[in-house]
Amino acid sequence: MSVKFKDYYGILGLKKGATQEEIRKAYRSMARQYHPDVNKAPDAEEKFKALSEAYEVLKDPEKRRMYDQYGSGYQHGQEFRTPPGFGGFGFNPGGANGAGAGSFSDFFEMLFGQAGRGANGGARSAGGFGGGFGPGFSGGAGFGGFGNEYGQGYGSGAATGEDAEAELLVPVEKVITGGAMTVQLTLPGVGSRSYDLRIPQGIAEGKRIRLAGQGPNGGDMYLKIKYDQSGLYALEGSDVVTEVRVAPWEAALGAKVPVQTPSGKITLTIPAGSSSGRRLRLKGQGMETGGVKGDLLVKVSIVLPETTTPEAKALWEELQRKTGWSPR
């Protein structure tokens, strides 16, 4: 059996040496143009399916290598026959991003064998964008929220039909130290799945973590980092800010108090006469970025006793009379 050879590069308007980024951009641009929810031309759906099939092959390095190897001697529209003994690619492709209903072409199935079919042996359909590029596209609802081992909910994002992005709220403690973090993603057509991430130590706010192939319809998922500064620490650049609560007499007379830092508990000297809000700087105890550590800034917070006995009240009154001092 022979079929017409398909020039996947030509379908995307590219040359054979195109980079992966050029392939991705070309697909996204043309998919917007020919998506059947937007383009009502009679041939729009077929063009869209051809784009999706081309991208399904060229976005995957191994499929692309096989396509280049066995299709190098053909031109678009020529009769193509797989080499003797070549039984197809034989792996499950992950789904074309946004492919419309219907199977891939006979050329795809001849070259890649059962890769083009679903688990039930029927023609595989990737189903639609599940989000869309903007008003007028199908879906648009995006996907659900995020959660991690801290039990916090994270906001939602909108799918582009190929890739998706959402904000990932990361506790400052995890940013400072880096390490493992579990994220629960809920996507339409995919369901809820748990992913183990590794947060790079010192990752900047606004940076993105890429989960290849984990977006809607086999696209990529990008998690945009946002700091959760509601815990024990806050960040000011590479400086770590925390708070120590002291009694009025500790602030007045000076004291040595325990303070929890990202690297462990230390004993901090509170200078006599410290006012509430004073910051004590510990050099080199902050977050490491670019091989250089910031400082730890400990904010002094004076806390009064919750209850006052008559004896304590009398002492406060005597102090007031003897000093005659007021901050105003």
Side-chain angles (χ1 to χ4, degrees):
M1 174 184 174
S2 63
V3 296
K4 295 292 185 182
F5 174 78
K6 285 184 174 288
D7 180 2
Y8 288 142
Y9 293 101
I11 289 172
L12 290 171
L14 299 169
K15 293 184 178 180
K16 186 175 180 180
T19 66
Q20 291 300 118
E21 181 64 16
E22 289 171 336
I23 290 170
R24 187 180 73 87
K25 286 183 177 180
Y27 169 75
R28 294 187 68 174
S29 175
M30 298 180 76
R32 289 186 179 98
Q33 180 181 353
Y34 290 107
H35 191 288
D37 285 352
V38 172
N39 192 326
K40 301 304 181 183
D43 61 346
E45 183 174 353
E46 287 303 315
K47 287 184 177 180
F48 180 73
K49 287 164 65 176
L51 289 169
S52 298
E53 179 175 317
Y55 185 65
E56 170 70 23
V57 173
L58 299 183
K59 74 174 183 177
D60 186 293
E62 188 64 14
K63 283 201 284 254
R64 183 180 180 182
R65 182 186 68 81
M66 297 294 289
Y67 171 77
D68 289 347
Q69 178 181 350
Y70 292 104
S72 59
Y74 292 85
Q75 299 295 324
H76 180 71
Q78 286 185 337
E79 293 293 321
F80 174 83
R81 188 184 299 272
T82 52
F86 181 69
F89 208 50
F91 69 86
N92 189 353
N97 297 327
S103 63
F104 286 138
S105 68
D106 290 339
F107 169 75
F108 180 96
E109 300 221 5
M110 174 180 283
L111 187 58
F112 297 109
Q114 293 302 311
R117 296 189 176 273
N120 62 358
R124 182 170 56 81
S125 169
F129 268 156
F133 291 104
F137 283 80
S138 64
F143 45 84
F146 291 82
N148 66 6
E149 71 263 38
Y150 297 91
Q152 298 164 315
Y154 301 133
S156 61
T160 66
E162 177 193 352
D163 297 336
E165 179 179 300
E167 188 176 87
L168 179 63
L169 195 63
V170 181
V172 167
E173 292 89 332
K174 185 66 67 177
V175 177
I176 294 170
T177 62
M181 182 174 178
T182 300
V183 178
Q184 190 76 22
L185 280 71
T186 302
L187 300 173
V190 176
S192 181
R193 294 182 184 176
S194 181
Y195 298 90
D196 293 327
L197 305 179
R198 180 159 294 278
I199 304 298
Q201 185 273 328
I203 187 170
E205 198 167 31
K207 290 286 187 180
R208 301 191 305 172
I209 294 176
R210 175 174 174 259
L211 301 180
Q214 303 303 323
N217 300 319
D220 293 341
M221 171 62 67
Y222 290 91
L223 305 179
K224 188 176 182 180
I225 300 296
K226 182 174 176 60
Y227 294 162
D228 177 4
Q229 309 207 61
S230 63
L232 186 61
Y233 305 109
L235 285 174
E236 294 181 359
S238 59
D239 291 340
V240 178
V241 182
T242 191
E243 180 185 73
V244 61
R245 294 156 63 89
V246 300
W249 47 89
E250 290 176 323
L253 302 175
K256 293 184 181 295
V257 298
V259 175
Q260 184 66 46
T261 77
S263 57
K265 189 170 288 188
I266 64 170
T267 299
L268 178 68
T269 299
I270 305 296
S274 292
S275 299
S276 193
R278 179 177 183 176
R279 287 186 171 192
L280 305 176
R281 183 181 295 271
L282 301 179
K283 291 284 189 179
Q285 297 293 317
M287 182 173 70
E288 183 175 346
T289 53
V292 179
K293 272 200 168 186
D295 299 335
L296 178 67
L297 305 177
V298 184
K299 180 181 176 182
V300 175
S301 180
I302 299 174
V303 182
L304 292 173
E306 294 183 1
T307 59
T308 302
T309 64
E311 292 81 1
K313 182 179 179 182
L315 290 173
W316 284 116
E317 290 171 345
E318 183 180 357
L319 179 63
Q320 182 184 36
R321 287 193 304 271
K322 289 187 175 181
T323 61
W325 181 84
S326 171
R328 296 173 301 281

